[in-house]
Amino acid sequence: MSAPIRAIISDLDGVVWRGEEPIPEAVDTLRAWSGRGVPLAFVTNNSAHSAEDFAGILNRLGIAVAPSHVITPIEALKNLLRERHAGARVYVIGGAALALAVAEAGGTVVQDAQADLVVLGTDYELSYTKLRCATNALLNGATLIATNPDLLSPVEDGFEPCVGALVALFTAAVPGTTPVILGKPQPALLEAAMTLLGAQRDETVMIGDQVSTDIRAAAAAGIRGFRITTNPRHVAQADDPLHEVIDRLAEIRPV
């Protein structure tokens, strides 16, 4: 018998919303959990916004959560830069929050190919000029750091290419490139969430819509994974980690 569920970690994209459209049933359930005081944290691979931005959206939906309880690859990037790449010159493909994180960690954001690192995140102003500059930086020996390996991201009318698609582009264009992946399925973000929640592994669950990131991260962190069936493109693989499948968040009953 599984231990009672006392703490919940949830993905955002595809679980709480698709694109900018909230998923009403999910919002209602999360609002009820937060109102009951269920220990709750959100772990996302989306680097387009800061934890503060995401917490603001959640609170406007009535889901009470502090920015410290929204964990993104931005925090992992800051730690990596401080610990291993102090003072690095960084070419950023990503939003303003990602560039700010580089500066806050002591790096220098550059606009040319003379970079020590190329950091990839979600960039809605992506251009061929940016792709060319990043390619040349990698050809010059820069290290590739990606916020996440997702190939697709859910939006209101379907899906859009995500950071993993850019990783595939650069590893094809510059053979021998080995990317450093910050987000899920690496377990570090979930480990940070459990520390914040003061949660025991056997009493904590991870909710997500992607096996390749959310469920694999749960397995790597040693916690139960729940896949919600909001991703119509899911195709089961023989090596998928064991996990539970739900149609609605309300099927999970934290104590």
Side-chain angles (χ1 to χ4, degrees):
M1 177 180 292
S2 299
I5 298 170
R6 301 186 186 278
I8 291 176
I9 303 170
S10 177
D11 186 28
L12 291 174
D13 296 298
V15 177
V16 185
W17 50 63
R18 290 186 67 90
E20 296 183 359
E21 288 297 317
I23 300 173
E25 185 278 332
V27 170
D28 289 344
T29 301
L30 288 163
R31 187 187 296 132
W33 287 344
S34 68
R36 284 174 44 205
V38 174
L40 186 63
F42 296 89
V43 172
T44 178
N45 274 354
N46 191 332
S47 63
H49 303 287
S50 67
E52 290 77 9
D53 293 334
F54 284 126
I57 297 170
L58 290 165
N59 278 279
R60 286 192 291 275
L61 292 173
I63 303 166
V65 61
S68 62
H69 282 59
V70 180
I71 302 172
T72 80
I74 289 176
E75 286 70 39
L77 175 63
K78 288 181 182 179
N79 291 336
L80 180 66
L81 293 179
R82 288 169 178 148
E83 293 172 6
R84 302 186 189 177
H85 301 284
R89 292 167 54 85
V90 185
Y91 187 79
V92 177
I93 291 181
L98 204 57
L100 179 61
V102 170
E104 289 178 344
T108 300
V109 176
V110 299
Q111 303 299 326
D112 56 47
Q114 303 306 309
D116 304 305
L117 310 172
V118 172
V119 172
L120 298 182
T122 302
D123 190 337
Y124 290 109
E125 297 181 356
L126 182 63
S127 67
Y128 206 82
T129 298
K130 291 183 179 181
L131 295 177
R132 182 173 65 243
C133 191
T135 298
N136 283 303
L138 294 171
L139 287 168
N140 291 337
T143 297
L144 180 63
I145 300 174
T147 56
N148 60 287
D150 301 69
L151 296 172
L152 294 172
S153 183
V155 293
E156 296 92 332
D157 58 351
F159 291 85
E160 64 185 15
C162 198
V163 177
L166 288 181
V167 172
L169 182 155
F170 287 122
T171 55
V174 187
T177 297
T178 301
V180 176
I181 305 296
L182 299 175
K184 300 169 289 184
Q186 302 300 323
L189 303 188
L190 274 66
E191 298 278 2
M194 282 190 285
T195 298
L196 280 170
L197 296 175
Q200 300 297 315
R201 292 180 194 277
D202 63 345
E203 297 179 338
T204 304
V205 301
M206 170 69 200
I207 306 168
D209 65 319
Q210 304 277 352
V211 170
S212 61
T213 53
D214 303 312
I215 301 304
R216 289 192 180 280
I223 64 176
R224 293 166 64 189
F226 284 81
R227 177 176 63 83
I228 192 165
T229 57
T230 53
N231 178 7
R233 298 185 62 87
H234 171 72
V235 177
Q237 303 294 324
D239 64 343
D240 286 348
L242 291 176
H243 63 280
E244 298 169 63
V245 180
I246 55 173
D247 295 316
R248 302 166 60 248
L249 292 192
E251 294 175 43
I252 299 173
R253 300 187 180 279
V255 298

